[in-house]
Amino acid sequence: MATAGTGAFAAGICPLTTRRDASTATPRIRPIFKSKLSVCASAIRTEKQVAPSVSDNGAVGKKQAPPPSSGEREERRSTLRDYFDQSRELISRSDGGPPRWFSPLECRSPLKDSPLLLYLPGVDGVGMGLSLQHERLGKIFDIWCMHIPLTDRTSFKDLVKFVESAVKTEHSHASNRPIYLIGESFGACLALAVAARNPDTDLVLILANPATSYGKSVSQSLLPLSELMPEQLGSSLPYVLTLLLGNPAKRVTAAMRQSLSSDHMIEELSQETIAMSSYLSVLSKLFNVETLRWKLNLLKSAAEFANSRLHAVKAQTLILASGQDQLLPSREEAERLRQVLPKSQVRLFEDSGHALFLEDGISLISILTGTSFYRRGQRHDHVSDYLPPSPSEFRRVYEPQSWIDAATDPVVLSTMENGDVVRGLAGIPSEGPVLYVGYHMMLGFEIVPLVSRFWIERDILLRGIAHPMMFSKLKEGSMPDASAYDSFRIMGAVPVSAPNFFKLFSSKSHVLLYPGGVREALHRKGEEYRLFWPEQSEFVRMAAKFGAKIVPFGVVGEDDVGHLLMDYDDLRRIPYFRDSIEELTGEVVKLRSDAVGEVSNQDVHLPIIVPKIPGRFYFLFGKPIETKGRQQELKGRERALEVYLEVKSEVEKCLAYLKEKRESDPYRNIFARLSYQATHGFDSEVPTFDFSHKTQQ
């Protein structure tokens, strides 16, 4: 592993054929940098590379690495200081040669069949914009970053052909895999131009603050200024360059969020400032007014070229927009592009600046997972293409929701093999596959405490079987935007289907299932803790096929945090709400259309709930039910139904037990818990009712 600023690139940088030398059919490869930056193989991938192995037929075979798990050790994250040091080294050692690709050292051998990722930089051309993301991205992509030397004068059209050449060569070697083009600002224009010229190639575009909005930006005013007042503009170049690096105040806030001591925080920020000053010093010497003028003209031609061809872009596209971009009107541009590009989605980062990928808290892996944009084949597979979050990514998802844990202080009980009930999750099986089947609270209040507790206490990632509305809509309307469900997808939610069940059990996952579904989570007044399960035993037979353990569980406490003021029946009596329910229901895929009775009522609505002074949540996980070795026995519907009813009965027993026992919990009320913690410490575990005599048979 290279230390910061001393060995930033695995194969260094290699020059490729540029369109100024388009007659050269074979890529020119020659050493440029030695020691710290050594020669790399061509992105055209017909030459041997250092890290990947090469088969006899010349195709590149990557070493297979296991996917990152929830419990993997948090690796040292690259910092802005690393970015400044590596960029300074790259700029100072770069010659004036043509554009070229490099592969970062942090990018280890990726997963089998990993797609190619081509990073297309902003107008600075350095190519290090993803440096804070290299470590994680390198595990799932074969990464090549584009570097355009500051003194290079390749036209935009020739840059498009340069990228297009790599795309076509990769496509010829692996036509069944997508090619990712990640473009920032100027690079987004490049990505759109290449996609427009190659509509039949499977491309995935990730566009961060695309410069297609250049004509509407304040940046365009710099071009006439560079002509009229070159000397005055030259003195302002350092400020212009700092705008490319985002908001310094946000970096201070990020350091404070890491709970560093004031001395440590000041030291980190000081080192970062020194590195940035050194980087800007090197950049300013080369980035003169003439270079700025060239770059602005290049940016102008890029925006015009890309905008004139948007109608031809057919690629799957994700547009990332910063709300505090001081260079481009990115928020407005993202919405414009979303309406023009047929397969596009938008994600807005309200507090971020222009250099989105250099900001703390921005994880491209989480973005790809949350939007279901990572795939290794023609379609996204919710099981095999899923990327578990790292500990820091989990924290970013959990912390905004942690108030639910703090307010309800859940009591979690589990059952050991001998039937003893213990506090905590010691009774939960360690090895999968395991199927957790239980009661769904109103609006799924229990999801955050449940999933987070499994992650924190047992290092287990629960893969929840979810309603299709979290993944797609039949049409646009009043349903929440897709981004509202990103955190569920990041934490492993999977759309309900038999094939997904099969894949999850095959991969020995811990699967969370609510047979009651929408009807149970949107129950009516007086229906608290009543199960609305269909009379189908399919999950039992699927579990038996893989020998999965089935763990029934109950959870109570929803009536201690809110009062159901208006339920489905009340809302249906009011014309406005009745129309709203019908509109919402018509936007989503309807499940259980063949069922009868209340179970078939899958109407989507938002009940009106009045908050209460928080009580407490209580979970009880019953004794695991074994299905291993019972596949033949449970193939028959009659025997499978018996086990199904057994599971249902155990869930009802768990609910009844918790409802009864919570009455004797002296700390059921939040004020009693706060009083206890004020005396014993706010990190102390608050006691609950006596469960020592409870034994499940």
Side-chain angles (χ1 to χ4, degrees):
M1 175 64 67
T3 57
T6 60
F9 314 106
I13 299 185
C14 64
L16 298 184
T17 306
T18 65
R19 293 303 148 183
R20 291 180 297 168
D21 189 14
S23 61
T24 307
T26 305
R28 296 178 289 120
I29 303 176
R30 59 180 173 85
I32 307 178
F33 309 138
K34 297 180 180 179
S35 115
K36 297 179 182 177
L37 299 174
S38 58
V39 66
C40 78
S42 163
I44 295 183
R45 295 159 52 134
T46 56
E47 303 291 336
K48 291 187 177 181
Q49 300 185 39
V50 176
S53 60
V54 182
S55 63
D56 292 337
N57 62 7
V60 177
K62 307 180 190 72
K63 300 174 185 176
Q64 184 173 1
S69 67
S70 62
E72 72 174 334
R73 181 177 58 85
E74 190 78 85
E75 298 170 341
R76 176 191 178 277
R77 292 185 68 249
S78 295
T79 65
L80 270 176
R81 180 186 175 189
D82 298 328
Y83 165 77
F84 293 134
D85 288 342
Q86 293 170 2
S87 296
R88 184 187 69 248
E89 181 183 10
L90 182 55
I91 293 171
S92 62
R93 289 175 175 268
S94 177
D95 59 13
R100 72 277 319 257
W101 301 102
F102 67 87
S103 182
L105 179 63
E106 298 95 321
C107 302
R108 302 172 179 175
S109 300
L111 296 174
K112 182 181 179 182
D113 298 327
S114 296
L116 176 67
L117 184 158
L118 299 179
Y119 171 67
L120 311 178
V123 73
D124 63 292
V126 177
M128 290 300 299
L130 283 181
S131 60
L132 274 63
Q133 316 276 338
H134 285 164
E135 191 75 43
R136 288 274 280 152
L137 289 174
K139 296 177 181 178
I140 61 170
F141 286 110
D142 187 7
I143 300 182
W144 294 92
C145 302
M146 185 181 185
H147 174 68
I148 309 172
L150 284 176
T151 53
D152 178 72
R153 295 298 181 261
T154 304
S155 69
F156 180 74
K157 289 183 179 180
D158 285 341
L159 289 174
V160 171
K161 294 175 183 177
F162 172 77
V163 177
E164 187 178 51
S165 176
V167 167
K168 287 183 175 180
T169 305
E170 169 66 11
H171 182 67
S172 69
H173 284 293
S175 59
N176 61 329
R177 289 201 296 269
I179 300 171
Y180 281 72
L181 302 182
I182 298 188
E184 283 198 273
S185 187
F186 169 79
C189 295
L190 265 177
L192 287 167
V194 171
R197 290 164 57 97
N198 297 271
D200 297 326
T201 302
D202 188 6
L203 298 176
V204 180
L205 309 186
I206 312 296
L207 312 179
N209 299 320
T212 45
S213 64
Y214 173 76
K216 305 173 186 176
S217 70
V218 296
S219 306
Q220 66 171 337
S221 62
L222 294 175
L223 187 55
L225 284 176
S226 68
E227 303 282 356
L228 297 174
M229 298 181 294
E231 293 183 3
Q232 291 86 337
L233 184 60
S235 62
S236 303
L237 273 180
Y239 170 73
V240 175
L241 295 175
T242 58
L243 292 179
L244 298 173
L245 303 176
N247 185 359
K250 189 174 181 183
R251 296 200 287 274
V252 176
T253 305
M256 294 175 65
R257 278 203 307 266
Q258 294 175 15
S259 303
L260 301 175
S261 66
S262 57
D263 290 343
H264 192 183
M265 183 177 69
I266 292 172
E267 180 184 358
E268 272 206 0
L269 291 174
S270 298
Q271 292 178 350
E272 186 179 291
T273 302
I274 292 171
M276 181 176 69
S277 299
S278 178
Y279 165 67
L280 290 176
S281 175
V282 173
L283 193 60
S284 296
K285 291 177 182 178
L286 298 173
F287 211 101
N288 52 35
V289 174
E290 189 278 328
T291 300
L292 176 63
R293 188 181 299 124
W294 165 261
K295 293 287 188 181
L296 291 174
N297 275 309
L298 186 65
L299 194 57
K300 180 182 178 182
S301 62
E304 292 173 351
F305 189 100
N307 280 319
S308 67
R309 291 162 175 78
L310 290 178
H311 64 279
V313 176
K314 309 301 180 187
Q316 183 184 12
T317 305
L318 178 62
I319 307 160
L320 311 178
S322 296
Q324 303 299 320
D325 190 342
Q326 299 179 53
L327 290 176
L328 300 169
S330 295
R331 182 204 301 264
E332 295 77 9
E333 182 66 4
E335 182 58 29
R336 182 184 78 90
L337 291 176
R338 186 188 68 81
Q339 295 177 12
V340 174
L341 303 176
K343 299 179 182 178
S344 62
Q345 294 187 40
V346 172
R347 291 298 183 271
L348 176 64
F349 300 86
E350 192 68 51
D351 300 324
S352 295
H354 185 71
L356 181 65
F357 296 135
L358 293 180
E359 296 197 1
D360 184 77
I362 300 296
S363 166
L364 188 50
I365 290 284
S366 290
I367 294 171
L368 293 175
T369 305
T371 55
S372 300
F373 257 70
Y374 179 73
R375 56 187 172 91
R376 286 177 286 173
Q378 295 181 349
R379 295 181 180 179
H380 174 77
D381 188 306
H382 290 280
V383 178
S384 63
D385 288 333
Y386 174 67
L387 309 170
S390 67
S392 61
E393 289 165 346
F394 166 76
R395 287 193 296 272
R396 282 194 288 270
V397 172
Y398 171 67
E399 286 175 359
Q401 311 294 331
S402 61
W403 63 271
I404 301 176
D405 261 332
T408 61
D409 188 32
V411 173
V412 180
L413 308 175
S414 62
T415 308
M416 305 297 289
E417 288 290 338
N418 62 4
D420 290 346
V421 173
V422 297
R423 188 163 186 178
L425 294 173
I428 296 300
S430 298
E431 299 297 326
V434 182
L435 178 63
Y436 303 88
V437 186
Y439 168 73
H440 214 354
M441 273 188 178
M442 172 63 73
L443 298 179
F445 285 149
E446 81 286 358
I447 290 291
V448 170
L450 176 60
V451 173
S452 61
R453 187 60 62 96
F454 268 72
W455 175 285
I456 294 169
E457 185 176 330
R458 291 297 307 276
D459 193 26
I460 291 174
L461 177 64
L462 287 180
R463 303 297 308 274
I465 302 297
H467 194 284
M469 74 172 74
M470 293 187 178
F471 302 88
S472 62
K473 294 189 287 186
L474 296 179
K475 59 182 179 180
E476 291 297 325
S478 302
M479 281 294 293
D481 186 77
S483 61
Y485 303 109
D486 283 2
S487 59
F488 292 91
R489 292 188 286 266
I490 291 172
M491 291 308 300
V494 178
V496 59
S497 74
N500 284 339
F501 251 120
F502 185 94
K503 293 173 186 176
L504 287 170
F505 284 142
S506 297
S507 60
K508 300 186 182 300
S509 299
H510 289 249
V511 183
L512 176 63
L513 174 66
Y514 293 105
V518 169
R519 179 61 181 86
E520 200 165 274
L522 297 176
H523 57 251
R524 323 305 186 226
K525 294 175 182 176
E527 293 180 347
E528 298 87 353
Y529 311 121
R530 176 182 165 189
L531 302 184
F532 289 88
W533 290 18
E535 294 301 321
Q536 296 176 345
S537 56
E538 299 307 315
F539 74 77
V540 172
R541 290 193 288 174
M542 184 72 79
K545 181 178 180 66
F546 293 91
K549 294 182 173 68
I550 301 176
V551 179
F553 73 92
V555 53
V556 304
E558 63 180 86
D559 49 347
D560 275 352
V561 297
H563 168 68
L564 183 55
L565 183 65
M566 296 187 71
D567 64 7
Y568 173 81
D569 296 329
D570 297 325
L571 295 173
R572 290 282 302 181
R573 297 188 187 101
I574 303 172
Y576 171 80
F577 289 114
R578 182 173 62 249
D579 294 342
S580 177
I581 291 173
E582 292 174 357
E583 181 182 354
L584 288 172
T585 304
E587 293 174 22
V588 303
V589 176
K590 188 172 183 179
L591 302 177
R592 294 177 178 166
S593 56
D594 57 341
V596 295
E598 276 300 308
V599 173
S600 67
N601 189 337
Q602 298 287 306
D603 287 0
V604 179
H605 66 284
L606 187 64
I608 298 176
I609 299 173
V610 179
K612 291 182 178 180
I613 296 174
R616 203 171 193 182
F617 285 173
Y618 302 85
F619 292 83
L620 174 59
F621 291 88
K623 186 176 179 179
I625 298 172
E626 285 282 1
T627 67
K628 189 174 183 179
R630 303 175 66 184
Q631 181 177 355
Q632 292 300 321
E633 173 193 351
L634 296 178
K635 269 188 176 180
R637 291 186 179 275
E638 187 173 323
R639 185 69 186 102
L641 181 61
E642 290 179 13
V643 175
Y644 175 87
L645 294 176
E646 178 188 355
V647 174
K648 185 177 181 181
S649 175
E650 288 300 317
V651 172
E652 290 172 333
K653 289 178 183 179
C654 289
L655 291 170
Y657 173 80
L658 293 173
K659 285 172 63 180
E660 176 188 352
K661 296 298 292 184
R662 69 174 175 173
E663 299 295 336
S664 61
D665 183 0
Y667 300 102
R668 182 176 173 182
N669 185 277
I670 189 173
F671 295 118
R673 297 196 296 274
L674 290 174
S675 177
Y676 179 90
Q677 290 178 322
T679 304
H680 296 80
F682 284 95
D683 291 332
S684 59
E685 183 180 70
V686 180
T688 185
F689 55 77
D690 179 22
F691 55 85
S692 58
H693 63 285
K694 167 70 175 175
T695 301
Q696 290 209 346
Q697 302 299 322

